[in-house]
Amino acid sequence: MRWEGREESSNVEDRRGEGGGFDTGGGFGGGLGGGGLGMPINLGGGGIGTIILFLIVAWIFGINPLSLLSGQSVGPGPSQYERQTRQPAPQGSVRRDELTRFTAVVLRDTEQRWAEILPQQAGDLVRKAAGMRYQEPTLVIFSGATRSGCGTANAQTGPFYCPADRKVYIDLAFYDQLKTRFRAPGDFAQAYVVSHEIGHHIQNLLGILPAFNEARQRMSERDANRASVRVELQADCLAGVWAHHAQKERDFIEPGDIEEALNAASRIGDDAIQRTIQGYAVPDSFTHGTSQQRVRWFRAGFDSGRMGSCDTFNTSQL
């Protein structure tokens, strides 16, 4: 990526140095991590949780999804944490190291692209959202551990988006894990991480995350995992939509960048992660989708550049 010298976002909150004493090694959960192979939901044979999910989804895509925007919900990332009182960010300027500057540049590009895309295309995914204006989230950089509106964030959580406070959380040490542990090097692989979490922010603005959170409380764990896969694959697709429009900036994306993103999507599929960590995959525990599914949905968004291509809820073939 040709990112040096480009405009940086001002919506970066640097909490490094605030303490916490948590272990920063190992683990990959939360925002991009999680379980394994997404299973298509079958309306004919599904349980009550499945039926509730589709009633909620029908509401999202047909009747009044925007009424959910005021809800405070926890998204599919750090759901294992309790809601806690937010800890104010310490005062001080953002550190100007290379990874911070890179992340701020990528965040700024998502702000610029989605400010253009969302008003034009939101109605293609959620009919009642036509003309919606983009609201910029904050990206929190931390080291070790910090507090979020969704509970405690630490290095083992992985990058995640919290809909309760509309912030993306990332320990930049994760980029090293992406390169070494998951064998997904490259700056655009890192950009994919950020854009995926911004995809969750888009879902929150559209009312999809609040609806998912409400529905899954009535589901079995198995049905909730299956629904989570659809939420995560949609975020991958929205990341692809951003990449499509970012590519039009010829001084930004270089040859090979998209391949880096596709490689990252493949390496962090639930099946790939589980086989790496424990030697086998457990499909019923998957929460983010298989490697093949993640690549497919990122590619769907990238090839089309259209939010309407990201309707993972109304397809029987993930």
Coordinates of all heavy atoms in Angstrom, one line a residue, residues 86-146:
R86 N -17.5 2.3 31.3 CA -16.3 2.7 30.5 C -15.3 3.5 31.3 O -15.6 4.3 32.1 CB -16.8 3.6 29.3 CG -16.9 2.9 28.0 CD -17.4 3.8 26.9 NE -18.8 4.0 27.0 CZ -19.4 5.0 26.5 NH1 -18.8 5.9 25.7 NH2 -20.7 5.2 26.6
Q87 N -14.1 3.3 30.9 CA -13.0 4.0 31.6 C -12.5 5.1 30.7 O -12.2 4.9 29.5 CB -11.8 3.0 31.8 CG -10.6 3.7 32.4 CD -9.5 2.7 32.7 OE1 -9.8 1.5 32.9 NE2 -8.2 3.1 32.6
P88 N -12.5 6.3 31.2 CA -12.1 7.5 30.3 C -10.7 7.3 29.8 O -9.8 6.8 30.5 CB -12.2 8.7 31.3 CG -13.1 8.2 32.4 CD -12.9 6.8 32.5
A89 N -10.5 7.7 28.6 CA -9.2 7.6 28.0 C -8.3 8.7 28.6 O -8.7 9.8 28.9 CB -9.3 7.9 26.5
P90 N -7.0 8.3 28.8 CA -6.1 9.3 29.4 C -5.8 10.4 28.4 O -5.9 10.2 27.2 CB -4.8 8.4 29.6 CG -4.9 7.3 28.7 CD -6.4 7.0 28.6
Q91 N -5.5 11.5 28.9 CA -5.2 12.7 28.1 C -3.8 12.5 27.5 O -2.9 11.9 28.0 CB -5.2 14.0 28.9 CG -6.6 14.3 29.4 CD -7.7 14.5 28.4 OE1 -7.4 15.2 27.4 NE2 -8.8 13.9 28.5
G92 N -3.6 13.1 26.3 CA -2.3 13.0 25.7 C -2.4 12.7 24.2 O -3.5 12.3 23.7
S93 N -1.4 13.0 23.5 CA -1.4 12.8 22.0 C -1.1 11.4 21.6 O -0.6 10.6 22.4 CB -0.3 13.7 21.4 OG 1.0 13.4 21.9
V94 N -1.6 11.0 20.4 CA -1.4 9.7 19.9 C 0.1 9.6 19.5 O 0.7 10.5 19.0 CB -2.3 9.5 18.6 CG1 -2.0 8.2 18.0 CG2 -3.7 9.6 19.0
R95 N 0.7 8.4 19.9 CA 2.1 8.2 19.5 C 2.2 8.1 18.0 O 1.4 7.6 17.3 CB 2.6 6.9 20.1 CG 2.5 6.9 21.7 CD 3.1 5.6 22.1 NE 2.8 5.3 23.6 CZ 3.1 4.2 24.2 NH1 3.7 3.2 23.6 NH2 2.7 4.1 25.5
R96 N 3.3 8.6 17.5 CA 3.5 8.7 16.1 C 4.4 7.6 15.5 O 5.1 7.8 14.6 CB 4.1 10.1 15.7 CG 3.5 11.3 16.3 CD 1.9 11.3 16.2 NE 1.4 11.0 14.9 CZ 0.2 10.5 14.7 NH1 -0.6 10.1 15.7 NH2 -0.2 10.3 13.5
D97 N 4.3 6.4 16.1 CA 5.0 5.3 15.5 C 4.4 4.9 14.2 O 3.3 5.2 13.9 CB 5.1 4.1 16.5 CG 3.7 3.7 16.9 OD1 3.1 2.8 16.2 OD2 3.2 4.2 17.9
E98 N 5.1 4.0 13.4 CA 4.7 3.7 12.1 C 3.3 3.0 12.0 O 2.5 3.3 11.2 CB 5.7 2.9 11.4 CG 5.4 2.5 9.9 CD 6.6 1.8 9.2 OE1 7.7 2.4 9.3 OE2 6.3 0.8 8.6
L99 N 3.2 2.0 12.9 CA 1.9 1.2 12.9 C 0.7 2.1 13.3 O -0.4 1.9 12.7 CB 2.0 0.0 13.9 CG 2.7 -1.3 13.3 CD1 2.7 -2.4 14.4 CD2 2.0 -1.8 12.1
T100 N 0.9 3.0 14.2 CA -0.2 3.9 14.6 C -0.5 4.8 13.4 O -1.7 5.0 13.1 CB 0.2 4.7 15.8 OG1 0.5 3.9 16.9 CG2 -0.9 5.7 16.2
R101 N 0.5 5.3 12.7 CA 0.2 6.2 11.6 C -0.5 5.4 10.5 O -1.4 5.9 9.8 CB 1.5 6.8 11.1 CG 2.1 7.8 12.0 CD 3.3 8.6 11.4 NE 4.4 7.7 11.2 CZ 4.9 7.3 10.0 NH1 4.2 7.7 8.9 NH2 5.9 6.6 9.9
F102 N 0.0 4.2 10.2 CA -0.6 3.3 9.2 C -2.1 3.1 9.5 O -3.0 3.2 8.7 CB 0.1 2.0 9.1 CG -0.6 1.0 8.3 CD1 -0.5 1.0 6.9 CD2 -1.4 0.0 8.9 CE1 -1.2 0.0 6.2 CE2 -2.1 -1.0 8.2 CZ -2.0 -0.9 6.8
T103 N -2.4 2.7 10.8 CA -3.8 2.4 11.2 C -4.6 3.7 11.1 O -5.8 3.6 10.6 CB -3.8 1.9 12.6 OG1 -3.0 0.7 12.7 CG2 -5.2 1.5 13.1
A104 N -4.1 4.8 11.4 CA -4.9 6.1 11.3 C -5.1 6.4 9.8 O -6.2 7.0 9.5 CB -4.1 7.2 12.0
V105 N -4.2 6.1 8.9 CA -4.4 6.3 7.5 C -5.5 5.4 7.0 O -6.4 5.9 6.2 CB -3.1 6.1 6.7 CG1 -3.4 6.0 5.2 CG2 -2.1 7.3 7.0
V106 N -5.5 4.2 7.3 CA -6.5 3.2 6.9 C -7.9 3.6 7.4 O -8.9 3.6 6.7 CB -6.2 1.8 7.3 CG1 -7.4 0.8 7.0 CG2 -4.9 1.3 6.6
L107 N -7.9 4.0 8.7 CA -9.2 4.5 9.3 C -9.7 5.7 8.6 O -10.9 5.7 8.3 CB -9.0 4.8 10.8 CG -10.2 5.2 11.5 CD1 -11.3 4.1 11.5 CD2 -9.9 5.7 12.9
R108 N -8.9 6.6 8.2 CA -9.3 7.8 7.5 C -9.9 7.4 6.1 O -10.9 8.0 5.7 CB -8.1 8.8 7.3 CG -8.5 10.1 6.6 CD -9.7 10.8 7.3 NE -10.1 12.0 6.6 CZ -11.4 12.5 6.6 NH1 -12.3 11.8 7.4 NH2 -11.7 13.6 6.0
D109 N -9.2 6.5 5.5 CA -9.8 6.1 4.1 C -11.1 5.4 4.3 O -12.0 5.7 3.5 CB -8.8 5.1 3.4 CG -9.1 5.0 2.0 OD1 -8.7 5.9 1.2 OD2 -9.8 4.1 1.6
T110 N -11.4 4.6 5.3 CA -12.7 4.1 5.5 C -13.7 5.2 5.8 O -14.8 5.1 5.3 CB -12.7 3.0 6.7 OG1 -12.4 3.7 7.9 CG2 -11.7 1.9 6.5
E111 N -13.3 6.2 6.5 CA -14.2 7.3 6.8 C -14.6 8.0 5.5 O -15.8 8.3 5.2 CB -13.6 8.3 7.7 CG -13.3 7.8 9.1 CD -12.4 8.7 9.9 OE1 -11.8 9.6 9.3 OE2 -12.3 8.4 11.1
Q112 N -13.6 8.2 4.6 CA -13.9 8.9 3.4 C -14.8 8.1 2.4 O -15.7 8.6 1.8 CB -12.6 9.3 2.7 CG -11.8 10.3 3.5 CD -10.4 10.5 2.9 OE1 -9.8 9.6 2.4 NE2 -9.9 11.8 3.1
R113 N -14.4 6.8 2.3 CA -15.2 5.9 1.4 C -16.6 5.7 1.9 O -17.5 5.8 1.1 CB -14.5 4.5 1.3 CG -13.1 4.6 0.8 CD -12.9 5.1 -0.7 NE -11.6 5.7 -0.8 CZ -11.3 7.0 -1.0 NH1 -12.3 7.8 -1.1 NH2 -10.1 7.4 -1.1
W114 N -16.8 5.4 3.2 CA -18.1 5.1 3.6 C -19.0 6.3 3.7 O -20.2 6.2 3.6 CB -18.1 4.4 5.0 CG -17.7 2.9 4.9 CD1 -16.6 2.3 5.3 CD2 -18.5 1.9 4.2 NE1 -16.6 1.0 4.9 CE2 -17.8 0.7 4.3 CE3 -19.8 1.9 3.6 CZ2 -18.3 -0.5 3.8 CZ3 -20.2 0.7 3.1 CH2 -19.5 -0.5 3.2
A115 N -18.4 7.5 3.8 CA -19.2 8.7 3.8 C -19.8 8.9 2.4 O -20.9 9.5 2.2 CB -18.3 10.0 4.1
E116 N -19.2 8.3 1.4 CA -19.7 8.4 0.0 C -20.6 7.2 -0.3 O -21.7 7.3 -0.9 CB -18.6 8.3 -1.0 CG -17.6 9.5 -0.9 CD -16.4 9.3 -1.8 OE1 -16.2 8.2 -2.3 OE2 -15.6 10.3 -1.9
I117 N -20.2 6.0 0.2 CA -20.9 4.8 -0.1 C -22.3 4.7 0.6 O -23.3 4.3 0.0 CB -20.1 3.5 0.2 CG1 -18.8 3.5 -0.6 CG2 -20.9 2.2 -0.1 CD1 -17.8 2.5 -0.1
L118 N -22.3 4.9 1.9 CA -23.5 4.6 2.7 C -24.7 5.4 2.3 O -25.8 4.7 2.1 CB -23.1 4.9 4.2 CG -24.1 4.2 5.2 CD1 -24.0 2.7 5.1 CD2 -23.8 4.7 6.6
P119 N -24.7 6.7 2.1 CA -25.9 7.4 1.6 C -26.4 6.8 0.3 O -27.6 6.8 0.1 CB -25.4 8.8 1.5 CG -24.2 8.9 2.4 CD -23.5 7.6 2.2
Q120 N -25.5 6.4 -0.5 CA -26.0 5.9 -1.9 C -26.4 4.5 -1.9 O -27.3 4.1 -2.7 CB -24.8 6.0 -2.9 CG -24.3 7.5 -3.1 CD -23.0 7.5 -3.9 OE1 -22.6 6.5 -4.5 NE2 -22.4 8.7 -4.0
Q121 N -25.9 3.6 -1.0 CA -26.1 2.2 -1.1 C -26.8 1.5 0.1 O -27.2 0.4 0.0 CB -24.8 1.5 -1.4 CG -24.1 1.8 -2.7 CD -22.9 0.9 -3.0 OE1 -22.8 -0.2 -2.5 NE2 -22.0 1.4 -3.8
A122 N -26.9 2.2 1.2 CA -27.5 1.6 2.4 C -28.8 0.9 2.1 O -29.1 -0.2 2.7 CB -27.6 2.6 3.6
G123 N -29.6 1.6 1.3 CA -30.9 1.1 1.0 C -30.9 -0.2 0.2 O -31.9 -0.9 0.1
D124 N -29.8 -0.5 -0.4 CA -29.7 -1.8 -1.2 C -29.6 -3.0 -0.2 O -29.9 -4.1 -0.6 CB -28.4 -1.8 -2.0 CG -28.5 -0.7 -3.1 OD1 -29.6 -0.2 -3.4 OD2 -27.4 -0.4 -3.7
L125 N -29.1 -2.7 1.0 CA -29.0 -3.8 2.0 C -30.1 -3.8 3.0 O -30.7 -4.8 3.4 CB -27.7 -3.7 2.7 CG -27.2 -4.8 3.6 CD1 -27.2 -6.2 2.8 CD2 -25.9 -4.6 4.3
V126 N -30.5 -2.6 3.5 CA -31.6 -2.4 4.4 C -32.5 -1.3 3.8 O -32.1 -0.2 3.8 CB -31.1 -2.0 5.8 CG1 -32.3 -1.8 6.7 CG2 -30.2 -3.1 6.4
R127 N -33.7 -1.7 3.3 CA -34.5 -0.8 2.5 C -34.7 0.5 3.2 O -34.7 1.6 2.6 CB -35.8 -1.4 2.2 CG -35.7 -2.5 1.1 CD -37.1 -3.0 0.7 NE -38.0 -3.2 1.7 CZ -38.8 -4.2 1.8 NH1 -38.9 -5.1 0.8 NH2 -39.7 -4.4 2.8
K128 N -35.0 0.5 4.5 CA -35.4 1.7 5.3 C -34.2 2.6 5.6 O -34.4 3.7 6.1 CB -36.1 1.3 6.6 CG -37.4 0.5 6.4 CD -38.5 1.4 5.8 CE -39.8 0.6 5.8 NZ -40.9 1.4 5.2
A129 N -33.0 2.1 5.3 CA -31.8 2.9 5.6 C -31.4 3.8 4.4 O -30.3 4.4 4.5 CB -30.7 2.0 6.0
A130 N -32.1 3.8 3.4 CA -31.7 4.6 2.2 C -31.4 6.0 2.6 O -32.1 6.7 3.3 CB -32.8 4.6 1.1
G131 N -30.3 6.5 2.1 CA -29.8 7.9 2.4 C -29.2 8.1 3.7 O -28.9 9.3 4.1
M132 N -28.9 7.0 4.5 CA -28.3 7.2 5.8 C -26.9 7.8 5.7 O -26.1 7.5 4.8 CB -28.2 5.8 6.4 CG -27.5 5.8 7.8 SD -27.3 4.2 8.5 CE -29.0 4.0 9.2
R133 N -26.6 8.7 6.6 CA -25.3 9.4 6.6 C -24.4 8.6 7.5 O -24.8 8.0 8.5 CB -25.4 10.8 7.1 CG -26.2 11.7 6.2 CD -26.2 13.1 6.8 NE -24.9 13.7 6.9 CZ -24.6 14.9 7.4 NH1 -25.5 15.6 7.9 NH2 -23.3 15.3 7.4
Y134 N -23.1 8.6 7.1 CA -22.1 7.8 7.9 C -21.7 8.6 9.1 O -21.5 9.8 9.1 CB -20.9 7.6 7.0 CG -19.8 6.7 7.7 CD1 -20.2 5.4 8.0 CD2 -18.6 7.1 7.9 CE1 -19.2 4.5 8.6 CE2 -17.6 6.3 8.5 CZ -17.9 5.0 8.9 OH -17.0 4.2 9.5
Q135 N -21.6 7.8 10.2 CA -21.2 8.4 11.5 C -19.8 7.7 11.8 O -19.8 6.5 11.9 CB -22.2 8.1 12.6 CG -23.6 8.8 12.3 CD -24.6 8.3 13.3 OE1 -24.3 8.3 14.5 NE2 -25.8 8.0 12.9
E136 N -18.8 8.5 12.0 CA -17.5 8.0 12.2 C -17.3 7.3 13.6 O -17.7 8.0 14.6 CB -16.4 9.1 12.0 CG -16.5 9.6 10.5 CD -15.5 10.8 10.4 OE1 -14.9 11.2 11.4 OE2 -15.4 11.3 9.3
P137 N -16.7 6.1 13.6 CA -16.4 5.5 14.9 C -15.1 6.0 15.4 O -14.3 6.7 14.7 CB -16.4 4.0 14.6 CG -15.8 4.0 13.2 CD -16.4 5.2 12.5
T138 N -14.7 5.6 16.6 CA -13.4 5.9 17.2 C -12.6 4.6 17.2 O -13.2 3.5 17.5 CB -13.5 6.4 18.6 OG1 -14.2 7.7 18.6 CG2 -12.1 6.6 19.3
L139 N -11.3 4.6 16.9 CA -10.5 3.4 17.0 C -9.6 3.6 18.2 O -8.8 4.6 18.3 CB -9.7 3.3 15.7 CG -8.8 2.0 15.6 CD1 -8.8 1.5 14.2 CD2 -7.4 2.2 16.2
V140 N -9.6 2.6 19.1 CA -8.9 2.7 20.4 C -7.6 1.8 20.2 O -7.8 0.6 19.9 CB -9.7 2.2 21.6 CG1 -8.8 2.2 22.8 CG2 -10.9 3.2 21.8
I141 N -6.5 2.3 20.4 CA -5.2 1.5 20.4 C -4.9 1.3 21.9 O -4.8 2.3 22.6 CB -4.1 2.2 19.7 CG1 -4.5 2.4 18.2 CG2 -2.8 1.5 19.8 CD1 -3.5 3.3 17.4
F142 N -4.6 0.0 22.2 CA -4.3 -0.2 23.6 C -3.2 -1.3 23.6 O -2.8 -1.9 22.6 CB -5.5 -0.7 24.4 CG -6.0 -2.1 24.0 CD1 -5.6 -3.2 24.7 CD2 -6.9 -2.2 23.0 CE1 -6.1 -4.5 24.3 CE2 -7.4 -3.5 22.6 CZ -7.0 -4.6 23.3
S143 N -2.6 -1.5 24.8 CA -1.5 -2.5 24.9 C -1.8 -3.3 26.2 O -1.9 -2.8 27.3 CB -0.2 -1.8 25.1 OG 0.9 -2.7 25.3
G144 N -2.0 -4.6 26.0 CA -2.3 -5.5 27.1 C -3.8 -5.6 27.4 O -4.4 -6.6 27.1
A145 N -4.4 -4.6 28.0 CA -5.8 -4.6 28.3 C -6.3 -3.2 28.5 O -5.6 -2.3 28.8 CB -6.0 -5.5 29.6
T146 N -7.6 -3.1 28.3 CA -8.3 -1.9 28.5 C -9.8 -2.1 28.7 O -10.3 -3.3 28.6 CB -8.1 -0.9 27.4 OG1 -8.6 0.4 27.7 CG2 -8.9 -1.3 26.1

